[in-house]
Amino acid sequence: MKKIFQPAILNLVTVILFGWALVAFYDAQMQFADVLKDPEPPWEISLNLSPILVFFIICTPITIYLLKRGKRKHNSILKAFMLPPELEESDEREQLITAKACRNSYIAMWYAAPIAAGLLLIYPMIQDIIPYYPIIILLLIPVIQMICYFYSLHKNL
C-alpha cells in the first residue's frame, strides 16, 4: 500500500507546488506587461519568491532521492531520470497491472483534454477574478491522469 501512495502523493505535491510557483511568475509577468503598456517611470515589478523557494526546497530532495534510488536499480542516471519509479515492474503480473493502469489513464485523457479545452472558454468571463485560471486548467490534466493511474493501480493490486 505504501508503495503505491508514496509516488502518488509526491507527484501530486510536485504538480501543486509547480502550479503555485507558476502563479507567482504569472503575476510578475502581468506586472511586466503593465510596465510595457505604460513605460513612464516609476517601474515596479514584484515577484513573490515564497512559492518558488518552497517548490525548490521540497522538490529538489525528492528528485535527488528518486534519482539515487533509480540509479542503483538501473546503473544509469539517464535511465533513472527517464523512467518514473511507478513504472518499474518486477514481474509479469506487475507489468500487466501497470499496462492496465496506463491504458485507463490514457482513456481518461480522451475525456479530460476536451473538457479542459471547454473550461478554457469561460476564461474571458472570469479573467478579472482568477487571472491564472489557464494555469489551473492546464495542470489539472496531469493531475487527472495521475489520479486515474494510481486509482487503477490500487484497484488492480
Side-chain angles (χ1 to χ4, degrees):
M1 209 59 90
K2 179 183 171 191
K3 193 176 180 182
I4 295 172
F5 289 115
Q6 182 184 15
I9 291 170
L10 291 177
N11 286 343
L12 289 174
V13 166
T14 302
V15 170
I16 290 168
L17 290 176
F18 180 68
W20 189 30
L22 278 181
V23 167
F25 280 121
Y26 180 82
D27 186 41
Q29 184 64 27
M30 293 306 294
Q31 293 174 26
F32 182 66
D34 290 340
V35 167
L36 291 178
K37 285 179 189 173
D38 185 22
E40 295 296 320
W43 300 316
E44 183 178 330
I45 298 174
S46 62
L47 177 63
N48 186 4
L49 289 178
S50 299
I52 300 162
L53 289 176
V54 169
F55 174 73
F56 281 112
I57 288 170
I58 292 176
C59 294
T60 301
I62 291 171
T63 304
I64 290 170
Y65 166 74
L66 292 176
L67 286 176
K68 281 185 178 180
R69 195 179 86 185
K71 187 178 178 193
R72 272 187 266 131
K73 286 185 178 180
H74 300 292
N75 296 329
S76 168
I77 194 84
L78 183 62
K79 274 188 178 179
F81 188 73
M82 297 304 286
L83 183 65
E86 57 267 9
L87 294 179
E88 295 173 356
E89 306 98 356
S90 60
D91 60 8
E92 288 135 8
R93 178 184 161 270
E94 286 183 4
Q95 286 178 348
L96 183 64
I97 291 171
T98 302
K100 274 181 142 178
C102 287
R103 179 183 184 275
N104 291 338
S105 177
Y106 180 78
I107 290 170
M109 293 311 299
W110 277 94
Y111 295 103
I115 290 171
L119 288 173
L120 285 174
L121 292 174
I122 66 171
Y123 176 63
M125 294 177 267
I126 64 167
Q127 84 182 48
D128 293 333
I129 302 166
I130 309 172
Y132 43 84
Y133 180 75
I135 294 172
I136 294 170
I137 296 299
L138 186 65
L139 290 178
L140 272 178
I141 294 173
V143 167
I144 290 168
Q145 188 176 20
M146 284 185 280
I147 289 171
C148 182
Y149 175 80
F150 286 112
Y151 175 74
S152 179
L153 200 64
H154 174 68
K155 188 175 77 171
N156 290 319
L157 280 181

